[in-house]
Amino acid sequence: MAGNMESRSGFVPVVTVVGFHHARGPEIEDWYGVEDGSDPAFENDWSLLPFMALSDGAHATTEDFSYFTLRQEATSTQPATSLFGISCTRQMDSTELISRPADVTRSTVQKAVVVIADSPQYFGPLREKLSMVTRAWFAQRDFTDTEILKKFQESLLQSLKDTEGDRDQYLGLSLRELIHEFKYQTLVLFKCCLLQPKMLFFGSRCERLCMMQFSLISLIPGLIRNLQDCADPELENYEKHLILPTSLKTSERASLLSYMGLPLQVFGKGSLFGPYTPLQQLDMLADHGTKSYIVGSTNSLLLQQKDRYSDILVNLDEGNLNITSSSLRNSLALSVADRRWIDFLTQAVNDTWDESNPSRPKTMGYMGSEEFIRLQFEEYLLALLSSAKYHLYLQSQTSDPHKAVLSDIEGDPVTDFNIDWLDAWQRTENFRIFQKFTDSHLFDIVEPRHPCAGGLTIEDVQRRLAQQVAELHLDERFSTGKEVLNKHLATGQKKVSSAFNNLWADIEVMREAQRKRQEEQRAAQAANPNASPSSMLTRTTTGGSEKSLGRFASRAPDLSHAQAVGQRAGAYISSWGAWASERRRGWGRSNALTPAGSPPQPGSGLVRLRSAPEKRGGGINPVELDRKSDGIGRLDA
């Protein structure tokens, strides 16, 4: 598609003021930049302009912006075309007015300053100027003084001329914010836009609602500059000026994009674009001649009739998509390659995300930037167009399929873009125009291959799982619970540590007392080596009375511990005896358990027993049974 199709009708930007009257509702109050006695609203049938400028719910905010489209009727020198409006709405307490008109009966005064131009590409820098002028006008507290509005209108033409030669002025929400919020659904919306269905956007904030739609259509290179047919389904001037390109300069981006058939005109005959569409315009949406549109609304009443007015509903307040058409749902299913490609973009944005400045990467680098995202979508779209042409070429060469196949291309590359989507796209108006004004061998210029071609891999599965886990926001949801749990764990750890310390201190005290008793017993035995152990505890006098010997004579011996040790030793010997019996049956002979060793020595407190058969090739190690002098023993292996 050769030539620059920018709409330059010589239209001079105009300014108007829309106010809300307590009895008549929204109405136009004055025009600036038009001839005396001229009323553009009457001449062009802009009866809905006041409702477009004052959006539903604008009274709930201090300042709000609305974007809309208007049809300019044909003149003797110019055909009918589209104009674009941007309004800044503010309100103030009526008691603060210096000169309060008699018809102001409400407690607040609400007005909108509106700029109407022939292209939306200037609205980015224009928005800030409009906001400052509207704020200054309200700060005067006298709406009869309109000198600031007149000067603003006079400066518009020159300011627009100063930016006309600049590079593309991208209007809309930051693409980084778009991808960060909608993730893989961003690609679903982009491909849905090319299918030209009835797309309805809903959101309570009018400016964000409009910016979302401008961001979406800006992903089609050159479309923002070629929206002359978008305000009315009956307009079709764009196609009349197209010619088939015959030359190409691959070193020039504009020449390459034009040769590849861009921009794809999704707003031609039967289509409508209304960033903000009031309820009064629903009749146009339901008209038989309106085949497709991209519109936005802040009125929740449309949600109740979404099946009637939309094929796909984008709810910005809830951040979800609702595809009401089953055929559209199948066409918009992302292929493995599609999902891999958009996941790569999403990861690039998330890795460089900066909450304080979402529009710029925190690394201040190219990866994840606005330009990076825009060029990635451009590469994707060029590959899609080239693959579509190659697909059609393969179908036309059915008589000799081997002749048609490119040696470096495996199979049909369209399958990586979803063949159902291509079938649906071939039934649209923008595909008809694309096919009519482009060369049949575009795949010789751009390689017909998906940027992320290939089947499903384990890396794809891992990446999707990681993203799904990240989307759960577990750290955010359980941050409070983690703090409480850590607090309780710290308290419990302190209590357990204190209990263990106290227990260990008690054990040390008991061990020290036991050690002292043993020392005293050895000292008493050394003093009287011929005395029996029992005589160390008590001594009987002739009168039958007991006299204490040291510390041990004052208390009776505690045999509970000795009895417990004896019980454990007996259980161990019984289990060992059962094992020995099993072994005897295996040997085919009887081996009795016989005690061995010398009798207990006085004072030693130990007795050794040969508790296993003698070693006869079996490799059985002896087990020593240590027994105290009182007959209670323990095993010492």
Side-chain angles (χ1 to χ4, degrees):
M1 302 179 189
N4 188 351
M5 293 304 303
E6 299 173 14
S7 175
R8 292 292 176 266
S9 60
F11 180 82
V12 178
V14 297
V15 175
T16 183
V17 175
V18 175
F20 185 86
H21 192 273
H22 70 282
R24 298 185 295 269
E27 60 181 5
I28 299 175
E29 296 182 352
D30 206 351
W31 288 94
Y32 304 92
V34 301
E35 298 179 358
D36 294 340
S38 176
D39 185 359
F42 176 77
E43 297 168 359
N44 296 280
D45 191 20
W46 292 344
S47 59
L48 298 181
L49 172 59
F51 300 96
M52 296 175 175
L54 288 175
S55 62
D56 296 330
H59 61 277
T61 59
T62 304
E63 182 182 66
D64 199 7
F65 291 85
S66 174
Y67 300 78
F68 50 90
T69 58
L70 298 167
R71 173 189 170 116
Q72 184 186 32
E73 297 296 339
T75 63
S76 58
T77 57
Q78 295 288 344
T81 187
S82 299
L83 298 179
F84 303 86
I86 173 176
S87 72
C88 178
T89 304
R90 295 186 69 90
Q91 56 187 342
M92 66 178 299
D93 195 331
S94 58
T95 59
E96 298 178 1
L97 293 175
I98 296 177
S99 176
R100 180 172 178 173
D103 59 351
V104 176
T105 59
R106 292 195 172 189
S107 60
T108 59
V109 179
Q110 186 180 33
K111 294 182 183 295
V113 179
V114 185
V115 176
I116 300 176
D118 63 346
S119 176
Q121 70 183 85
Y122 313 116
F123 283 179
L126 180 60
R127 177 198 179 279
E128 300 303 324
K129 296 180 181 179
L130 178 60
S131 176
M132 290 187 293
V133 169
T134 306
R135 189 183 306 113
W137 188 45
F138 270 72
Q140 295 177 165
R141 298 187 298 164
D142 184 6
F143 293 127
T144 60
D145 184 1
T146 59
E147 186 65 23
I148 188 174
L149 299 181
K150 295 177 182 178
K151 292 185 178 298
F152 174 57
Q153 190 278 327
E154 293 172 358
S155 68
L156 282 178
L157 184 60
Q158 184 60 42
S159 62
L160 297 186
K161 286 183 178 179
D162 294 340
T163 59
E164 184 174 350
D166 295 347
R167 66 182 181 88
D168 291 342
Q169 296 290 334
Y170 298 117
L171 176 65
L173 190 71
S174 165
L175 295 180
R176 286 175 50 82
E177 296 180 58
L178 179 65
I179 293 180
H180 183 74
E181 179 175 356
F182 285 93
K183 300 177 178 59
Y184 74 92
Q185 292 179 332
T186 306
L187 182 57
V188 175
L189 290 174
F190 176 71
K191 298 182 74 172
C192 181
C193 178
L194 298 180
L195 296 183
Q196 294 183 257
K198 295 181 178 180
M199 298 184 67
L200 174 61
F201 287 78
F202 170 80
S204 56
R205 296 169 51 193
C206 185
E207 183 179 18
R208 185 170 182 270
L209 174 74
C210 300
M211 290 295 96
M212 175 68 179
Q213 298 168 69
F214 276 113
S215 295
L216 184 61
I217 66 174
S218 72
L219 292 175
I220 303 176
L223 185 57
I224 287 289
R225 293 176 175 264
N226 295 274
L227 293 174
Q228 56 265 43
D229 295 339
C230 72
D232 194 288
E234 297 180 0
L235 298 178
E236 52 177 344
N237 296 319
Y238 179 80
E239 185 179 356
K240 295 178 180 178
H241 297 85
L242 290 179
I243 59 175
L244 183 68
T246 57
S247 61
L248 168 65
K249 294 182 180 179
T250 55
S251 59
E252 296 182 5
R253 174 175 174 268
S255 177
L256 174 63
L257 296 180
S258 177
Y259 190 84
M260 294 295 295
L262 296 174
L264 297 175
Q265 189 50 266
V266 296
F267 300 114
K269 180 70 173 178
S271 298
L272 173 68
F273 177 47
Y276 174 69
T277 303
L279 292 180
Q280 290 78 5
Q281 204 173 1
L282 290 182
D283 291 342
M284 181 179 289
L285 301 183
D287 188 80
H288 180 71
T290 307
K291 305 299 182 183
S292 67
Y293 49 73
I294 297 179
V295 296
S297 176
T298 59
N299 198 310
S300 59
L301 292 177
L302 278 180
L303 296 179
Q304 303 173 10
Q305 304 183 51
K306 60 184 179 181
D307 294 337
R308 178 182 180 186
Y309 290 105
S310 68
D311 295 324
I312 176 173
L313 172 64
V314 184
N315 193 323
L316 300 184
D317 290 347
E318 298 180 0
N320 57 35
L321 311 182
N322 187 357
I323 304 176
T324 57
S325 171
S326 58
S327 59
L328 183 62
R329 188 180 299 109
N330 295 333
S331 301
L332 293 179
L334 297 182
S335 64
V336 172
D338 279 345
R339 188 60 187 266
R340 183 184 300 124
W341 181 81
I342 192 60
D343 285 348
F344 163 72
L345 277 186
T346 304
Q347 187 65 34
V349 171
N350 292 339
D351 290 344
T352 59
W353 186 253
D354 185 1
E355 288 290 347
S356 60
N357 188 5
S359 62
R360 298 183 62 179
K362 63 181 179 182
T363 59
M364 298 300 176
Y366 173 71
M367 181 67 70
S369 64
E370 293 283 309
E371 194 66 22
F372 168 79
I373 297 172
R374 204 170 292 280
L375 289 180
Q376 293 298 319
F377 271 94
E378 183 177 302
E379 178 191 9
Y380 178 90
L381 185 55
L382 292 177
L384 173 60
L385 299 179
S386 178
S387 299
K389 285 289 186 177
Y390 185 62
H391 173 76
L392 297 176
Y393 177 70
L394 290 177
Q395 290 182 335
S396 65
Q397 301 292 328
T398 54
S399 59
D400 190 2
H402 297 288
K403 179 181 178 180
V405 174
L406 297 179
S407 58
D408 57 338
I409 301 299
E410 182 179 353
D412 190 347
V414 163
T415 56
D416 287 328
F417 294 94
N418 186 358
I419 192 66
D420 292 335
W421 181 91
L422 181 66
D423 293 340
W425 183 49
Q426 289 176 333
R427 298 190 294 268
T428 64
E429 276 294 303
N430 75 88
F431 176 82
R432 181 188 63 80
I433 299 175
F434 164 77
Q435 183 70 1
K436 181 179 179 181
F437 293 99
T438 53
D439 188 86
S440 60
H441 285 63
L442 292 182
F443 51 84
D444 290 334
I445 306 300
V446 175
E447 183 181 21
R449 187 192 303 274
H450 195 289
C452 293
L456 185 65
T457 63
I458 187 62
E459 289 79 9
D460 298 328
V461 177
Q462 292 174 344
R463 182 175 58 255
R464 293 185 190 180
L465 289 176
Q467 290 179 352
Q468 291 175 359
V469 171
E471 290 174 1
L472 295 177
H473 301 290
L474 295 179
D475 292 338
E476 299 176 6
R477 295 182 179 183
F478 299 117
S479 58
T480 304
K482 288 171 62 178
E483 294 178 1
V484 174
L485 179 61
N486 291 335
K487 183 178 179 180
H488 284 295
L489 286 176
T491 304
Q493 182 180 7
K494 184 178 180 180
K495 292 180 178 180
V496 172
S497 178
S498 176
F500 271 109
N501 291 337
N502 294 336
L503 178 62
W504 185 255
D506 293 341
I507 293 177
E508 289 296 326
V509 171
M510 294 175 61
R511 293 178 60 186
E512 181 65 20
Q514 184 179 8
R515 183 183 63 79
K516 289 182 178 181
R517 288 195 298 270
Q518 292 176 352
E519 290 179 355
E520 293 175 357
Q521 182 178 1
R522 285 196 295 270
Q525 182 179 2
N528 190 7
N530 296 326
S532 62
S534 59
S535 63
M536 296 180 209
L537 297 177
T538 59
R539 180 178 300 171
T540 305
T541 60
T542 57
S545 62
E546 293 183 351
K547 296 182 179 179
S548 58
L549 281 178
R551 297 177 57 186
F552 297 96
S554 61
R555 66 180 70 178
D558 185 6
L559 300 181
S560 61
H561 177 70
Q563 292 173 356
V565 172
Q567 292 175 358
R568 289 196 297 269
Y572 187 89
I573 294 174
S574 298
S575 62
W576 191 91
W579 172 83
S581 300
E582 294 292 334
R583 298 291 294 183
R584 284 197 302 271
R585 284 196 295 269
W587 295 333
R589 58 185 178 82
S590 299
N591 290 319
L593 181 62
T594 58
S598 57
Q601 300 295 325
S604 65
L606 296 176
V607 60
R608 293 185 178 274
L609 301 177
R610 176 70 65 182
S611 56
E614 294 181 357
K615 184 176 180 181
R616 297 182 180 178
I620 305 300
N621 294 324
V623 180
E624 298 176 350
L625 179 65
D626 299 337
R627 187 183 302 274
K628 291 185 179 180
S629 59
D630 56 1
I632 302 173
R634 69 177 184 273
L635 289 177
D636 185 11

